[in-house]
Amino acid sequence: ARVAKAAAMNASLQRQRLKRGSVSAVNVVQKPAGSSLTPAAGHPQKLLHAASMPVVPRQPVLCKAKSDDAASRRPHGFVDRQKLKAENEALRVEVERLREANAKAGGELLVNDAAKVMAEYRRALAAVLSMRADGQFVQPTVDEYYRATVQLSEEDYVRSYQALMKVYVGEADADSLAHLGIANADGEEVIQFAESACIKMGELLGIARRVRIQKHEQELEQRKELEVERRQKEEKERQLMASQSALRAAGRRVFEALTPLWLELTDILAESRGDLDEAEVKRFKWRNELQLLVMPPSEMKRLSPYQWQTMSLGGLRDEEKFGLLSRLSDVSGRRADVPGQADRFISSLRHALGSEPPTSVALERMCTPPAWFTICVGCRVVTELGAEGVVQFKGAVRRKPGLWIGIALDLPQGKNDGSAGNVRYFSCAPKHGIFARAEKLRMLPQQSQATVGTELDAD
């Protein structure tokens, strides 16, 4: 009765779950017709638990297909002797390689290994003696000899040292020569090499073979590091020399391009002329640094030490610094005709300009004189607004500071007829004249053939 009641309760619970949609399918354990359940057949709680569990369909088991290769057809316990032989040979070669590497690193030497090392030493010694007999020095050949020397066993190392000592003192016998593998020891080159080899070997005499090899490896590493540092230093020096050469070339180019301008600005009559920039004329007059650009060596020597000490680079343009460096120094340093007091100023110039040469764009800009110097009477120019004309006047204009350019335009796009403030500076048709600053103009390649003159302001 209890079992039937439990089954009824289980079926009721399953129906409720199906209504709520919590499970999709449940197999309910029911009593078969004509059978009876005993307590030994199952506990009601276990039956309830089993009925409440979802049914998981069994997955089909995929059988692994049998391989058709020859290995699958071999009988059980078959041994491939050829494969085993190849594997054993590979293992033997690997073990031999590791043993030789261990021996070269300072490990134990077998009898056969010691004989091989001694044979390598004799070959290296013969190569060194042949090199010296030819009057050459090949570093890899010498390195190979000393590498073979430190690889010798303790007994062979001592015997080789004693044999070379006998060669050096002239007492070499047949056994010593046979041990070294050389026919005779009468040559001067052999005796000299025996001396250097004894000195080198004597430093490591009585030291264990492993320590000898380590010291030799450390020496090689240190030499490699020194070689790398030497090459890096040489590369830096080469780059520095190339940069300094490029700087000197840039300085010469700037100096040659702007020397006419600097000569005009430092001319004794520069202040009385009207076709120069007044501000630039005063700047060159009051700065000793700028006067050095065109100053003869005889006048440089008259400058006092105080004047050299007070020279500074403040306010100087890049093209002026390059010009001063080219004027005062050359490849060797300070020019011979420049006094020694200029060393401090030259050093400041080099520090300010740095080690990198200017770019091509910057160099072209520095070599281009200012517009007020290149524009002259008779040149064709174009204004910012695109009006073209011919320069008819260059100089000072009354009640207008600075340098002005008078232009006779091709079209009536101007403001006057060549006069300003009731003062005539040039003549042209009405509305064809204009005055502009030099930096607002751009020169054109065509040149006017008209004959013009320059009239300076009488005031």
Side-chain angles (χ1 to χ4, degrees):
R2 287 196 299 270
V3 171
K5 186 178 179 179
M9 292 177 61
N10 184 20
S12 177
L13 288 173
Q14 294 299 333
R15 285 192 296 271
Q16 292 177 7
R17 290 178 180 175
L18 287 173
K19 290 179 180 180
R20 290 196 300 267
S22 59
V23 295
S24 61
V26 175
N27 291 333
V28 180
V29 178
Q30 297 180 357
K31 176 182 176 183
S35 64
S36 63
L37 297 175
T38 62
H43 196 275
Q45 294 181 357
K46 294 182 179 179
L47 292 174
L48 177 62
H49 176 68
S52 63
M53 294 179 61
V55 177
V56 180
R58 296 182 63 185
Q59 299 292 336
V61 179
L62 300 177
C63 296
K64 185 177 180 181
K66 293 184 178 180
S67 177
D68 294 336
D69 57 0
S72 64
R73 295 193 298 270
R74 290 171 181 171
H76 181 68
F78 176 80
V79 177
D80 191 345
R81 296 182 181 276
Q82 294 182 354
K83 183 178 181 181
L84 286 178
K85 185 177 180 180
E87 292 177 352
N88 290 337
E89 181 64 20
L91 288 174
R92 188 191 66 77
V93 173
E94 181 65 17
V95 170
E96 184 68 18
R97 186 188 65 80
L98 293 175
R99 189 183 62 77
E100 291 180 358
N102 180 57
K104 290 182 179 179
E108 182 181 359
L109 281 177
L110 301 179
V111 178
N112 294 335
D113 296 336
K116 291 180 181 179
V117 171
M118 190 63 201
E120 292 179 1
Y121 172 78
R122 293 190 180 107
R123 286 194 296 269
L125 177 60
V128 170
L129 294 179
S130 175
M131 175 195 71
R132 294 178 67 90
D134 296 338
Q136 300 177 355
F137 179 81
V138 182
Q139 187 64 49
T141 304
V142 178
D143 292 342
E144 180 63 23
Y145 168 75
Y146 285 114
R147 185 199 64 79
T149 302
V150 298
Q151 289 287 341
L152 292 172
S153 63
E154 279 77 2
E155 180 181 357
D156 290 337
Y157 189 87
V158 174
R159 288 189 62 188
S160 300
Y161 173 76
Q162 293 173 352
L164 288 172
M165 184 61 71
K166 290 180 179 181
V167 172
Y168 170 58
V169 298
E171 299 178 359
D173 52 11
D175 293 338
S176 300
L177 296 179
H179 178 76
L180 296 176
I182 57 179
N184 58 73
D186 299 334
E188 186 68 23
E189 293 294 334
V190 178
I191 297 175
Q192 292 179 358
F193 177 75
E195 178 186 5
S196 61
C198 287
I199 296 174
K200 187 75 173 179
M201 295 179 69
E203 298 174 355
L204 303 176
L205 198 63
I207 299 178
R209 176 175 176 271
R210 175 179 54 82
V211 179
R212 291 201 310 264
I213 295 175
Q214 291 178 355
K215 285 183 174 294
H216 179 68
E217 296 295 334
Q218 291 175 0
E219 181 181 350
L220 291 180
E221 290 296 329
Q222 292 177 357
R223 193 164 61 189
K224 288 180 180 178
E225 293 176 358
L226 292 176
E227 181 65 18
V228 171
E229 292 179 359
R230 183 186 65 82
R231 291 182 179 179
Q232 291 177 350
K233 184 178 179 181
E234 290 179 354
E235 181 63 20
K236 289 182 179 179
E237 291 178 353
R238 186 188 65 80
Q239 293 178 355
L240 181 60
M241 292 180 61
S243 299
Q244 291 178 352
S245 177
L247 283 173
R248 288 192 297 269
R252 287 193 300 269
R253 182 177 173 185
V254 172
F255 185 80
E256 293 173 359
L258 299 183
T259 296
L261 168 65
W262 295 333
L263 288 173
E264 294 287 342
L265 291 174
T266 55
D267 185 64
I268 190 171
L269 301 177
E271 287 186 303
S272 60
R273 296 172 54 180
D275 57 344
L276 299 177
D277 192 320
E278 183 180 356
E280 287 296 309
V281 172
K282 292 181 179 180
R283 182 168 168 267
F284 270 73
K285 178 181 179 180
W286 295 106
R287 295 210 60 169
N288 291 330
E289 301 89 348
L290 297 177
Q291 294 178 12
L292 290 174
L293 291 168
V294 294
M295 185 179 293
S298 58
E299 294 186 16
M300 287 187 188
K301 295 179 180 179
R302 295 175 188 165
L303 296 176
S304 64
Y306 176 77
Q307 289 177 310
W308 284 107
Q309 287 182 346
T310 54
M311 288 186 182
S312 66
L313 304 179
L316 296 184
R317 304 185 182 101
D318 291 340
E319 55 267 25
E320 295 166 350
K321 295 177 184 178
F322 275 102
L324 286 170
L325 184 64
S326 177
R327 177 66 183 86
L328 301 176
S329 65
D330 53 13
V331 178
S332 60
R334 174 173 50 84
R335 288 183 179 273
D337 56 354
V338 176
Q341 294 91 337
D343 288 340
R344 176 179 170 274
F345 186 61
I346 294 173
S347 237
S348 302
L349 283 170
R350 289 177 175 168
H351 180 73
L353 294 175
S355 59
E356 293 296 329
T359 62
S360 57
V361 176
L363 183 59
E364 190 66 26
R365 177 187 57 81
M366 288 188 293
C367 293
T368 303
W372 61 263
F373 181 74
T374 56
I375 294 178
C376 58
V377 175
C379 298
R380 286 193 61 83
V381 295
V382 58
T383 64
E384 288 183 328
L385 300 178
E388 298 183 9
V390 180
V391 176
Q392 301 285 354
F393 171 80
K394 179 182 177 182
V397 177
R398 187 177 182 181
R399 297 179 181 178
K400 289 185 178 182
L403 185 67
W404 291 87
I405 307 296
I407 310 162
L409 300 177
D410 298 338
L411 301 176
Q413 299 173 327
K415 299 181 179 179
N416 51 62
D417 57 353
S419 61
N422 296 327
V423 177
R424 178 168 297 279
Y425 298 93
F426 64 95
S427 299
C428 66
K431 298 295 182 178
H432 281 68
I434 189 175
F435 290 91
R437 302 299 295 265
E439 56 269 17
K440 304 293 184 180
L441 303 174
R442 180 172 58 86
M443 290 184 60
L444 295 175
Q446 297 85 3
Q447 297 293 329
S448 175
Q449 301 297 329
T451 303
V452 293
T454 302
E455 297 292 339
L456 301 182
D457 190 355
D459 295 338

